[in-house]
Amino acid sequence: MQPDQIVSTSGMLQLLVNSVKDYAIILLDKEGKVLTWNPAAERLKGWKADEIIGQNFSRFYPPEEVENGKTALELKTARETGRFEDEGWRVRKDGTRFWANVTITALRGENGELRGFGKVTRDLTERRQNEEKIKKQAQEILEMATVPVVQVWEGIVLVPIIGTLDSQRTQHLMERLLQRVTESGSPVALLDITGVPTIDTQTAQHLIETVSAVRLIGAEVILTGVRPGDCPNTGPLGD
C-alpha cells in the first residue's frame, strides 16, 4: 500500500469514527487514560474532549465499582485474553447513570507489544427499561393469575380463589390482599373459596392466617363458598 493510500485510509477511518452516532469509540493508553474522544462519546458521556483526554477511564464508572477494582480487572482481562465485554451501569459527567454495553480490546503492535486499548460503549438504557417493563408486566400477570384481587364495589375487594392453597400461594395472597385493602381503604374483603376443591387442615390454616392478617389492619373478612364439612377441626374460619 502506497503512503498516500495509507493516509487516505486513515482519514476515512477517522471520518467513520467521528460519524458513528450510537457508539462511543475511544482509545486508552496502557494505563487506561483517554487518548481520543469521538463526538458520540461526548453526546453519551457529557464530557468534551479537552475535559476528559488524559483522564483515567474509571471516571465513567460508579465509585463503588472503582473501589472494588472493576476497571483494573477489565484492563487485566483485555490484556491477558485480548478482549473484555460487559454490561452494567456507567456514569455521565452530570452524575446520572446509564446502562451500557462495553467492549475493551487490547491493541498490540507487530511485535506483540501492548500499545493501548480500544473501548467501545453503547447506551442500552432504553432496551433495559423495556426489558424491566416487560418483566414487571409478566410478573403482574402471573400474580394476578395466581392470586387475583378484584375491586368489585367501592369499599369491597373480592378474592376468587381457584385451586389449592400452598404456603407460597398463601403468601402471595396475603401480600396482594393486604396491599389492595390498604391502597383502596376497603373495609371489607370477600374471600370466595368455591373454586378450592378440598379444604384440608393445612389449607384451612392458611385461610385463617390470611383472615387474621387482614383483620389486623382493620378490615372485615367475609368467607363465601364454604361447603358442609370444609373446615376440619381448625375452629370456625369466620370467628
Side-chain angles (χ1 to χ4, degrees):
M1 183 178 292
Q2 299 299 317
D4 58 338
Q5 291 178 304
I6 295 176
V7 172
S8 177
T9 302
S10 177
M12 290 177 65
L13 179 59
Q14 188 60 47
L15 285 174
L16 174 62
V17 170
N18 290 338
S19 300
V20 171
K21 296 181 179 180
D22 297 328
Y23 295 86
I25 303 174
I26 64 176
L27 294 178
L28 307 175
D29 68 11
K30 292 185 290 185
E31 285 71 42
K33 294 179 181 179
V34 178
L35 297 175
T36 66
W37 194 248
N38 75 327
E42 181 177 334
R43 286 192 297 270
L44 176 58
K45 300 174 185 289
W47 285 277
K48 296 184 180 297
D50 59 359
E51 295 176 314
I52 200 65
I53 288 178
Q55 300 289 319
N56 193 278
F57 82 114
S58 60
R59 294 284 301 275
F60 313 139
Y61 290 70
E64 62 273 15
E65 292 193 349
V66 177
E67 293 175 4
N68 291 335
K70 181 175 178 60
T71 54
L73 178 62
E74 290 184 0
L75 293 187
K76 181 175 184 293
T77 302
R79 185 167 53 248
E80 294 178 352
T81 67
R83 186 174 182 272
F84 174 87
E85 184 171 1
D86 179 44
E87 284 192 13
W89 293 111
R90 298 296 183 268
V91 180
R92 297 186 178 91
K93 178 183 177 182
D94 62 7
T96 59
R97 299 189 180 195
F98 64 99
W99 189 260
N101 172 268
V102 176
T103 302
I104 299 177
T105 304
L107 304 177
R108 298 184 179 275
E110 293 181 359
N111 60 357
E113 179 187 1
L114 181 67
R115 303 286 297 276
F117 301 91
K119 183 172 182 290
V120 179
T121 303
R122 187 181 184 188
D123 185 358
L124 298 181
T125 305
E126 184 176 355
R127 189 200 73 179
R128 178 177 171 83
Q129 289 173 341
N130 289 335
E131 290 175 348
E132 290 294 322
K133 182 178 180 180
I134 292 172
K135 182 179 178 181
K136 182 179 180 181
Q137 290 174 340
Q139 182 63 30
E140 289 175 349
I141 291 172
L142 177 62
E143 289 180 356
M144 283 296 293
T146 305
V147 189
V149 181
V150 183
Q151 187 89 40
V152 287
W153 296 287
E154 184 177 353
I156 300 177
V157 295
L158 169 67
V159 185
I161 305 173
I162 300 174
T164 58
L165 275 177
D166 56 19
S167 297
Q168 184 176 10
R169 192 165 185 234
T170 302
Q171 183 66 29
H172 281 297
L173 165 62
M174 195 178 302
E175 290 174 357
R176 287 186 60 80
L177 183 54
L178 292 174
Q179 180 181 4
R180 182 59 65 87
V181 169
T182 301
E183 290 177 349
S184 64
S186 300
V188 177
L190 299 177
L191 268 62
D192 182 6
I193 62 172
T194 305
V196 179
T198 304
I199 306 294
D200 56 19
T201 302
Q202 186 176 18
T203 302
Q205 185 60 42
H206 287 152
L207 287 171
I208 292 171
E209 292 171 358
T210 302
V211 169
S212 299
V214 174
R215 285 178 173 171
L216 283 174
I217 62 173
E220 183 60 38
V221 180
I222 300 175
L223 201 63
T224 65
V226 180
R227 300 174 295 274
D230 269 351
C231 303
N233 301 323
T234 58
L237 288 177
D239 285 355

